[in-house]
Amino acid sequence: QLQASGGGLVQAGGSLRLSCAASDRTVSNNGMAWFRQTPGKDREFVAGVDWNGGTTSYGDAVKGRFTVSRQKAQSTMYLQMNNLKPEDTAVYYCAVDRRAFWSGSPQSWGQGTLVTVSS
């Protein structure tokens, strides 16, 4: 089970840090990722990280502003979000991959945490 937390209301230009903790410690060997979704739109890839935190990837909309991290072989992942924009407003979800890196093949999803950025 994945538990995402850290969402909230922030002004544009501000920062938030999201956390995703897995109750199953075996996921420490799997890639993980963040997605986000707004009503009426498809779920959008935000960032992914491999099992040891050494390799990361980002969606174009967040490059240079967001940083995904995790400690090697740990089951908790973070998303540091800086310079937030109103268009970052969404429900953010975390996911675990079937492989040791983020391959785009999620095997499980967490519940979302709402991020609201006011202008």
Side-chain angles (χ1 to χ4, degrees):
Q1 184 176 3
L2 299 174
Q3 181 78 32
S5 61
L9 174 63
V10 64
Q11 289 188 332
S15 299
L16 279 176
R17 189 189 193 211
L18 305 183
S19 298
C20 174
S23 57
D24 180 2
R25 292 189 59 82
T26 62
V27 304
S28 61
N29 297 318
N30 296 68
M32 300 179 74
W34 290 99
F35 284 75
R36 65 187 183 186
Q37 189 170 26
T38 55
K41 293 188 177 181
D42 292 336
R43 196 165 289 188
E44 175 189 17
F45 173 76
V46 174
V49 62
D50 67 355
W51 71 281
N52 70 356
T55 301
T56 58
S57 57
Y58 296 92
D60 289 341
V62 306
K63 283 180 181 177
R65 300 187 298 121
F66 290 11
T67 303
V68 62
S69 64
R70 71 190 291 188
Q71 293 186 345
K72 182 179 179 179
Q74 295 298 305
S75 56
T76 302
M77 172 182 63
Y78 305 96
L79 184 68
Q80 178 66 42
M81 306 186 294
N82 297 329
N83 190 22
L84 282 161
K85 304 175 181 181
E87 51 264 43
D88 294 318
T89 295
V91 177
Y92 285 70
Y93 298 89
C94 54
V96 174
D97 202 280
R98 303 178 186 278
R99 297 188 175 187
F101 55 95
W102 182 253
S103 70
S105 299
Q107 66 177 24
S108 59
W109 292 89
Q111 95 297 345
T113 185
L114 177 63
V115 172
T116 304
V117 184
S118 62
S119 58

